[in-house]
Amino acid sequence: MKTNINYSPGRRGAVLVRRSLGAGGFPLIATLGLLLAVAPRAFAADATPTAAAAVTDPQTILKQAVDEVLGVAYAAPTTPPADPLVTRLRPVLEKYFSFELITRSAVGPGWSSFKSAEQQRTITLFTDLVIRTYSDKFEPGDRPKVTYGKPVEIDDTNRRELPTTITYAGKNYAVSYRLRLLPEGWRIYDVNIEGVSMVANYRAQFDPLFQKGGAAAIIAALEKNLADFAAKK
């Protein structure tokens, strides 16, 4: 049976995603390109950041991330042509997202049963799939306007939710980013578009796979989806 893994919110969110995968490429901007072939490390727990990282607050980090992604996505054409968008976005996303934490959260409680090699393989595949899913759909349209709301503390001092309003093609969209304070500084670990959590959406797809075949089933599904991407090239 073919298993397609994607960020496909239901009802209200689905309308947003279907529209956005057209000429404007909104999801790339709304989620900072999301979701890389990272060099996996052991998952790190919260910790006090270095002095250099501590001087920057989470909203400043988010604004920097948005500005850098927009700069890459809307860069003027070059001669010879620049590298594909997925290649140019990769280092920016590695800089601002904790894909280890995103992957662990998307898999859920079953993550602890993965062997170390399986965890690393899943992180690599999942992050690569997510970034390709969005960057491959992007076609430059109107440059969106981002308005930042007041940060909200979540549970403790190490987590923040940063609400934004993205104005695109004459319409407003509510997009919230969740950031967590890690040893390297504040990093994005979830994005909520019009009430639909990226992490929760992927977990809903991973849960039945894990119940049927554990880590091997999730890895196989991710490999299949990436192979489908390659076949379309």
Side-chain angles (χ1 to χ4, degrees):
M1 181 178 68
K2 182 176 180 180
T3 303
N4 290 319
I5 298 173
N6 53 71
Y7 183 23
S8 181
R11 197 82 192 180
R12 184 181 179 190
V15 175
L16 171 64
V17 171
R18 285 198 297 271
R19 289 175 179 169
S20 62
L21 293 185
F26 173 75
L28 172 68
I29 302 307
T31 61
L32 301 183
L34 279 184
L35 312 180
L36 67 99
V38 298
R41 306 181 299 275
F43 182 77
D46 289 346
T48 301
T50 62
V55 300
T56 304
D57 67 280
Q59 190 163 70
T60 299
I61 288 291
L62 179 60
K63 289 180 179 179
Q64 290 174 349
V66 170
D67 288 345
E68 288 189 32
V69 169
L70 288 173
V72 171
Y74 287 89
T78 61
T79 304
D83 291 332
L85 182 60
V86 63
T87 301
R88 290 182 283 128
L89 277 175
R90 196 177 301 273
V92 179
L93 299 176
E94 288 178 346
K95 181 178 177 181
Y96 292 107
F97 281 82
S98 174
F99 284 103
E100 293 175 76
L101 181 53
I102 291 170
T103 307
R104 174 176 175 167
S105 300
V107 172
W111 183 255
S112 61
S113 68
F114 283 40
K115 297 177 181 178
S116 177
E118 292 172 332
Q119 291 181 348
Q120 293 183 359
R121 180 63 174 160
T122 303
I123 292 169
T124 299
L125 292 170
F126 181 57
T127 51
D128 197 22
L129 175 66
V130 172
I131 192 173
R132 286 180 181 277
T133 297
Y134 288 95
S135 61
D136 282 8
K137 298 289 186 180
F138 179 74
E139 297 177 13
D142 296 335
R143 189 176 180 117
K145 175 185 176 182
V146 183
T147 303
Y148 298 89
K150 183 178 180 180
V152 178
E153 187 172 298
I154 305 173
D155 299 333
D156 54 50
T157 59
N158 290 333
R159 298 172 190 261
R160 295 287 189 281
E161 181 163 342
L162 278 63
T164 71
T165 299
I166 297 181
T167 303
Y168 179 76
K171 297 188 177 183
N172 293 328
Y173 300 97
V175 179
S176 293
Y177 301 84
R178 289 197 165 191
L179 286 80
R180 180 170 172 174
L181 186 59
L182 299 174
E184 61 269 30
W186 291 97
R187 294 294 181 267
I188 300 166
Y189 69 92
D190 195 11
V191 183
N192 187 302
I193 304 177
E194 292 286 294
V196 181
S197 162
M198 178 189 72
V199 167
N201 187 281
Y202 279 116
R203 182 182 290 189
Q205 297 175 69
F206 284 148
D207 278 347
L209 290 172
F210 181 78
Q211 294 300 321
K212 291 180 180 179
I218 291 177
I219 290 172
L222 290 169
E223 290 175 337
K224 179 63 169 63
N225 276 260
L226 286 169
D228 289 344
F229 265 113
K232 295 177 182 177
K233 298 299 182 180

